[in-house]
Amino acid sequence: MNSYKLIIFILVIFFKTGNVLSNTNIFDVNNIIVEKKGKTANEVLANQAIKKGFNKLINRILLENDIKKLQELKFSEIKELVTYYQISKEEIGEQNIEQIKYNISFGKFKIHDLFYKKNISYSDISNKEIFILPILKKNNQIFIYNRNFFYEKWNETYNSELIEFILPLENIEIIQNINLNKNNLINLDLKNLFSEYSSKNLALILIEDENSKEEKVYLKTRILGKNIVKNINIKRMNLSEEEFYRKIIIKVKKEIINIIKSKNLIDIRLPSFLKTQLKISEKNNLVELKLRLKNIDSIESIYIQEFNNKTVKLRIKYLGNLEKIINQLKNQKIILKLVGDEWSIKII
């Protein structure tokens, strides 16, 4: 009798509620501020918020070249992508102008359909931290912590909600490492330089100021375990030293963000499937599993292939690579493990 109850229970979960996992966190854009002047109609304000929200969304998840593919998108098409919007807060701003904050939710599958048609991949970044060290080379001297504008002002210039830039505290080992390799800084081993954070995303930025019209910046990053090296030329354009240095920070930050996006791309056209087995227990149950999987945007759906009173065999459709899915599952306290030639899934 218990096995029959289990079968009915499984069928209710997956056929009444559906197999599609529809959480849309990555496509939610909150705290969009719109100023209300005079007697502007509510619909006009909402439309302004939707347009600002969409621009914020695509700048957050798309590469620059793919953003350009959506420049000709009509507002009526953008509005069709919205699942819902709400006013989160109304307050009086500067000069007594009323400010209204909106939360906009764009539909996951509507966005997926648009990106599929436009051949666009989007970025789903799970690790938003990157440890960086900007080094200034000027007048044949190397500045690491002291008298280094880039170290002192890095996080005061062009703040990004997408990536958190973390600068290491002054460290004698880093200073020694750099001094030993001062003639070949760009070839420093990032894992040795950032020994405390070797498993994290890392970046070394070498800025050479030779007081010329165009300066070189050498960028070496390690993102998701992959090394990427780039050279960036930045024109001075008659700017003061501080203005020029801030320009360098903005340019390099945007480049790093673009690199991180490119290493976290999800191609809508290439879904993958994972076959796995769940052992049924009081803790290891389908209801809890499905609730947790809904928090992972790159998982699209889950199907039951076989079941009995002890185990359920599942087929999970997801976007992106397997390593990324495994890490995302860990974040939801779900362990995916390969036992022999079969994957098993467990709730912890």
Side-chain angles (χ1 to χ4, degrees):
M1 177 63 82
N2 288 336
S3 62
Y4 286 113
K5 289 182 180 179
L6 177 64
I7 292 171
I8 293 171
F9 176 66
I10 292 172
L11 292 175
V12 168
I13 292 171
F14 282 87
F15 293 99
K16 184 177 179 181
T17 63
N19 285 336
V20 174
L21 303 178
S22 57
N23 192 16
T24 57
N25 290 340
I26 193 173
F27 303 114
D28 291 348
V29 186
N30 298 326
N31 298 321
I32 301 299
I33 298 175
V34 175
E35 292 185 347
K36 184 177 182 179
K37 299 178 181 178
K39 297 181 179 179
T40 310
N42 291 336
E43 184 179 357
V44 173
L45 294 171
N47 288 344
Q48 290 176 13
I50 289 169
K51 190 170 184 180
K52 289 179 72 173
F54 182 72
N55 288 334
K56 187 174 180 179
L57 173 67
I58 62 175
N59 277 281
R60 188 176 72 197
I61 66 174
L62 300 187
L63 298 175
E64 290 182 9
N65 289 337
D66 286 328
I67 291 173
K68 293 175 183 177
K69 295 179 183 179
L70 300 176
Q71 287 179 343
E72 303 300 321
L73 205 63
K74 297 177 182 177
F75 177 72
S76 58
E77 295 174 285
I78 294 173
K79 199 169 182 179
E80 284 294 318
L81 302 172
V82 177
T83 303
Y84 69 86
Y85 65 85
Q86 63 181 28
I87 295 174
S88 65
K89 191 176 182 181
E90 296 185 45
E91 56 187 23
I92 303 299
E94 295 180 3
Q95 299 178 344
N96 292 322
I97 296 175
E98 186 177 358
Q99 292 184 336
I100 304 176
K101 285 186 180 181
Y102 287 83
N103 295 334
I104 314 290
S105 181
F106 294 92
K108 175 178 178 177
F109 295 103
K110 291 179 179 180
I111 292 286
H112 279 189
D113 186 57
L114 171 66
F115 289 174
Y116 186 93
K117 291 174 181 176
K118 298 285 187 179
N119 192 22
I120 292 174
S121 297
Y122 71 90
S123 179
D124 183 6
I125 301 171
S126 52
N127 182 3
K128 299 180 183 295
E129 293 182 344
I130 182 166
F131 291 80
I132 68 134
L133 182 62
I135 299 173
L136 173 63
K137 188 175 181 181
K138 184 177 181 181
N139 299 326
N140 292 319
Q141 294 185 66
I142 293 172
F143 302 95
I144 307 169
Y145 302 108
N146 300 320
R147 298 167 59 196
N148 181 354
F149 180 92
F150 300 96
Y151 182 84
E152 295 170 356
K153 304 294 184 181
W154 186 270
N155 282 327
E156 294 180 13
T157 307
Y158 186 69
N159 292 324
S160 169
E161 296 178 4
L162 184 62
I163 299 298
E164 181 182 0
F165 293 90
I166 302 172
L167 291 98
L169 297 174
E170 189 167 345
N171 184 312
I172 189 65
E173 291 181 359
I174 289 178
I175 295 172
Q176 289 174 343
N177 199 344
I178 289 171
N179 286 332
L180 286 171
N181 296 275
K182 61 184 179 182
N183 296 322
N184 196 19
L185 290 175
I186 201 59
N187 288 322
L188 276 170
D189 188 324
L190 293 184
K191 291 177 71 176
N192 290 336
L193 187 64
F194 297 91
S195 56
E196 294 181 56
Y197 319 106
S198 59
S199 62
K200 306 292 186 179
N201 290 333
L202 310 170
L204 173 67
I205 304 110
L206 176 60
I207 305 103
E208 290 190 352
D209 186 352
E210 298 180 348
N211 199 29
S212 61
K213 293 182 179 180
E214 186 173 271
E215 303 291 5
K216 290 183 179 180
V217 177
Y218 301 93
L219 175 61
K220 185 173 186 177
T221 62
R222 183 174 176 82
I223 310 297
L224 296 177
K226 304 294 183 182
N227 292 323
I228 303 108
V229 178
K230 287 200 170 186
N231 297 334
I232 307 170
N233 294 325
I234 303 177
K235 294 182 179 180
R236 194 176 290 270
M237 302 289 291
N238 296 319
L239 298 173
S240 68
E241 182 178 275
E242 180 172 340
E243 289 172 333
F244 181 54
Y245 282 3
R246 289 191 184 275
K247 179 182 178 180
I248 290 174
I249 292 176
I250 293 170
K251 179 76 174 177
V252 173
K253 274 191 171 181
K254 286 182 176 181
E255 187 64 44
I256 290 173
I257 290 170
N258 218 43
I259 291 171
I260 294 174
K261 282 182 180 180
S262 69
K263 295 303 174 183
N264 286 274
L265 287 179
I266 290 177
D267 190 343
I268 305 298
R269 294 170 176 262
L270 297 173
S272 299
F273 294 89
L274 173 67
K275 292 181 180 180
T276 186
Q277 179 175 274
L278 174 74
K279 289 184 179 180
I280 299 297
S281 67
E282 185 177 342
K283 184 177 180 180
N284 230 26
N285 65 73
L286 281 167
V287 174
E288 181 61 28
L289 177 65
K290 190 170 184 182
L291 287 173
R292 296 189 191 187
L293 291 179
K294 284 181 72 175
N295 294 321
I296 302 175
D297 291 288
S298 51
I299 292 182
E300 289 206 319
S301 53
I302 179 171
Y303 308 91
I304 293 176
Q305 292 190 306
E306 296 179 28
F307 55 85
N308 55 46
N309 62 346
K310 292 183 179 180
T311 61
V312 181
K313 289 189 176 181
L314 304 169
R315 186 169 182 257
I316 299 172
K317 181 182 178 183
Y318 67 92
L319 299 169
N321 60 56
L322 182 60
E323 182 180 357
K324 187 177 182 68
I325 285 295
I326 290 173
N327 289 330
Q328 290 177 333
L329 288 170
K330 284 181 182 178
N331 291 337
Q332 295 299 320
K333 296 185 178 180
I334 301 171
I335 299 300
L336 183 67
K337 188 176 180 181
L338 187 61
V339 180
D341 59 353
E342 189 173 62
W343 290 100
S344 67
I345 198 166
K346 181 181 179 181
I347 297 170
I348 57 173

